[in-house]
Amino acid sequence: MTSIPSSPEQPTNIRHLVAGEWVDGDGDETLSLDPAHPDRPVAAYRTAGEALLDRAVTAAKAAQPDWAKQGLIQRGLVLRRAAELLAERTEDIALLMTREQGKTLPESRAEVGATVETLHYHAGRARAADSVGYPSSHPDEVIRTVRRPLGVVAAITPWNFPLQVPAWKLAPALLWGNTVVWKPASDTVAVAVAFAEVLVQAGVPAGALNLLLAPGGLGAALVAREEVDGVTFTGSVPVGRSIQAAVVPRGAKVQMELGGHNAALVLPDIDPAEAAAALVAGAMGSTGQKCTATRRIIAVGEAYDVLLPELASRVKALVVGDGRVDGVQIGPLVSPEARDEVESAVEQAVAEGAQVVARADSPAPTHGAYTAPTLLSGNPDLTICQEEVFGPVTTLLRAADLDEAIRIANGTRFGLTAAVFTCDERAVRRCVTELDAGLVKVNAPNTGSELHAPFGGLKESSFPAPREQNGDSSADFFTWTKTAYLRTGTPSGSRP
């Protein structure tokens, strides 16, 4: 087992989990860095190569039949124990997450808590009905569905929620009797190791969970393996489409949650101060590094002029700094490279005619991967209003009426979340129906969802497969459904 310390002076040598053993990689030596202090490594490790990948997939394939035979209730008890162990380690893992990913300590604690809740939720699903009965035209027959695990699942997860998103995938995959080969993002490998330790200690057997730490190229090799029966992925649209091309032709299942360019509509009848508070939280929380973050704010009619100063004052007041410091609201971006991408996008927007309405004070870039939370104003054709920028930046747009606002909101290739702020019930009904978004929030930030409700997008934000989070949707993805006709007595006759 690898023990992850909390001291910033002690980078830890971490390992991969393969066939129940913690093993060194067979690739290059590399580091995971603290984005608030890029000169401080959090973890050191050798990446996984093709040989280790082969061992992990082989182990998952071999372990799957016995893991499936343990039964739903026993597997649910393992998840429940994992929830309890994770809760006991909340403070240590939250601090590790802040060191490695950069989000504020309160945000990290909240993510650990949400992950504990996710594990408990799926553990509870073990005692729910796992089949559906149907009447038969034959008096001595019962028809019912039977769920069968996919087999080996590849899970590829992002760095922005390094604990919660993996839990969305690993918990239901394991509950339904699958074994998993998990490749987390390279920026948050230490958090992944900590979570895998919890699952192993909770009773996940050797081979049922395998963890490989490596760059994205290994993910491509993983999903291409014929032994992989399903792939669950959260990340960028281009990578998602490459996974789709590799996996779908061989008949394996694919579940993908991709990018977003989320709009929030603000109508004139809403209190501008209340709306502004929710909008800034949705745009800037977690340093804007959420696929559900508010990227565009569309003010309808006279709402624009009253909303602008409320937004500006709140953006300027944001406190940016090291997420371990009390009172800091916005931490660094995950890496200096991510910071450079955000700042380049803002510079391009200004060159295209956008106006900088407000910026918060921010530490100098030389002190960490910091960027200033920024409110822009402009038009829907700006590149920044069409392409996802993963940082604390949002653009205020003007619409003459609700019709134009909906057209602007739907005017990108994405369709993950949308929000509308209004007291007009008719406008709410229109937005819920007409906005191209998998999640529509009313008088609440674009961000945030309940784990028992389905989560997923439309258009290029997702893929036509069962949604994440919700227990029924998760079961539909991580299993095949078979139909059994159970007749008693002497066999007679046949159906067409």
Side-chain angles (χ1 to χ4, degrees):
M1 181 179 292
T2 302
S3 178
I4 303 291
S6 59
S7 169
E9 286 77 32
Q10 292 182 284
T12 302
N13 292 316
I14 58 175
R15 294 179 169 184
H16 312 261
L17 177 65
V18 176
E21 297 181 352
W22 293 98
V23 299
D24 289 324
D26 52 351
D28 296 332
E29 294 184 357
T30 189
L31 298 171
S32 168
L33 303 176
D34 180 343
H37 306 278
D39 58 334
R40 296 181 186 175
V42 176
Y45 63 103
R46 288 188 65 189
T47 60
E50 292 282 350
L52 203 57
L53 170 63
D54 186 68
R55 288 173 57 190
V57 173
T58 300
K61 187 76 173 177
Q64 195 276 323
D66 286 343
W67 177 237
K69 288 176 184 177
Q70 290 198 22
L72 265 175
I73 290 178
Q74 180 58 39
R75 294 192 298 268
L77 291 174
V78 172
L79 294 182
R80 179 165 296 165
R81 179 58 179 152
E84 294 167 351
L85 291 170
L86 186 61
E88 292 171 4
R89 302 177 189 178
T90 294
E91 199 62 23
D92 286 345
I93 293 179
L95 181 56
L96 174 63
M97 190 184 304
T98 293
R99 287 178 58 211
E100 189 174 45
Q101 196 271 352
K103 62 181 62 182
T104 67
L105 198 50
E107 289 171 334
S108 294
R109 292 187 185 112
E111 182 170 344
V112 177
T115 305
V116 169
E117 188 177 356
T118 298
L119 292 168
H120 274 302
Y121 171 71
H122 287 289
R125 291 286 303 178
R127 296 182 183 273
D130 68 341
S131 66
V132 178
Y134 297 92
S136 170
S137 58
H138 193 286
D140 294 322
E141 186 174 68
V142 173
I143 305 171
R144 69 180 179 90
T145 59
V146 178
R147 291 196 182 274
R148 176 177 176 173
L150 297 184
V152 177
V153 170
I156 302 177
T157 59
W159 48 259
N160 59 330
F161 285 90
L163 201 64
Q164 190 173 359
V165 171
W168 290 356
K169 301 174 185 296
L170 302 188
L174 292 168
L175 176 68
W176 289 105
N178 301 282
T179 53
V180 178
V181 180
W182 173 26
K183 197 208 85 63
S186 297
D187 289 309
T188 49
V189 288
V191 174
V193 168
F195 189 31
E197 286 180 354
V198 166
L199 291 168
V200 169
Q201 187 175 351
V204 174
L209 174 65
N210 302 272
L211 173 67
L212 299 177
L213 314 175
L218 194 78
L222 169 60
V223 302
R225 295 287 297 236
E226 292 290 333
E227 303 96 323
V228 172
D229 302 293
V231 177
T232 175
F233 168 76
T234 297
S236 71
V237 172
V239 174
R241 295 307 172 217
S242 68
I243 290 173
Q244 175 184 346
V247 175
V248 171
R250 69 169 186 265
K253 280 190 175 183
V254 183
Q255 179 188 63
M256 296 190 298
E257 300 304 337
L258 308 175
H261 207 300
N262 314 295
L265 284 60
V266 183
L267 276 64
D269 65 329
I270 201 72
D271 181 280
E274 292 183 2
L279 292 164
V280 171
M284 306 300 177
S286 296
T287 318
Q289 297 174 125
K290 295 181 179 181
C291 56
T292 57
T294 309
R295 305 296 179 199
R296 293 167 294 151
I297 301 169
I298 305 169
V300 178
E302 62 189 29
Y304 186 97
D305 291 329
V306 294
L307 185 63
L308 186 149
E310 295 286 350
L311 290 170
S313 64
R314 284 168 172 76
V315 169
K316 290 178 181 177
L318 291 171
V319 180
V320 183
D322 189 327
R324 287 160 284 202
V325 176
D326 289 344
V328 166
Q329 299 167 289
I330 308 294
L333 290 162
V334 72
S335 67
E337 294 77 14
R339 175 200 61 211
D340 294 344
E341 288 179 8
V342 171
E343 295 191 347
S344 176
V346 172
E347 290 172 3
Q348 180 179 359
V350 172
E352 292 175 0
Q355 300 293 316
V356 176
V357 176
R359 301 194 81 174
D361 292 331
S362 175
T366 54
H367 295 163
Y370 296 105
T371 191
T374 302
L375 172 66
L376 301 173
S377 65
N379 67 76
D381 296 326
L382 294 167
T383 302
I384 204 168
C385 290
Q386 294 294 319
E387 299 299 327
E388 185 176 34
V389 175
F390 223 56
V393 182
T394 192
T395 305
L396 179 62
L397 305 171
R398 188 192 298 267
D401 52 31
L402 183 58
D403 288 340
E404 184 181 15
I406 292 174
R407 285 197 301 272
I408 293 171
N410 291 344
T412 75
R413 59 196 174 101
F414 300 102
L416 186 52
T417 74
V420 56
F421 291 83
T422 183
C423 298
D424 184 335
E425 185 177 350
R426 181 175 295 178
V428 167
R429 290 199 302 270
R430 281 197 61 192
C431 289
V432 168
T433 301
E434 297 178 30
L435 287 171
D436 293 341
L439 282 75
V440 180
K441 308 284 284 293
V442 178
N443 296 326
N446 294 72
T447 53
S449 61
E450 296 281 350
L451 66 92
H452 53 276
F455 177 90
L458 306 179
K459 302 197 297 193
E460 290 198 22
S461 289
S462 196
F463 180 78
R467 302 300 203 188
E468 289 195 289
Q469 296 190 10
N470 170 262
D472 292 334
S473 297
S474 296
D476 287 341
F477 178 74
F478 288 109
T479 65
W480 293 111
T481 299
K482 304 169 67 175
T483 304
Y485 289 75
L486 309 175
R487 185 177 297 189
T488 58
T490 302
S492 63
S494 64
R495 285 187 174 80

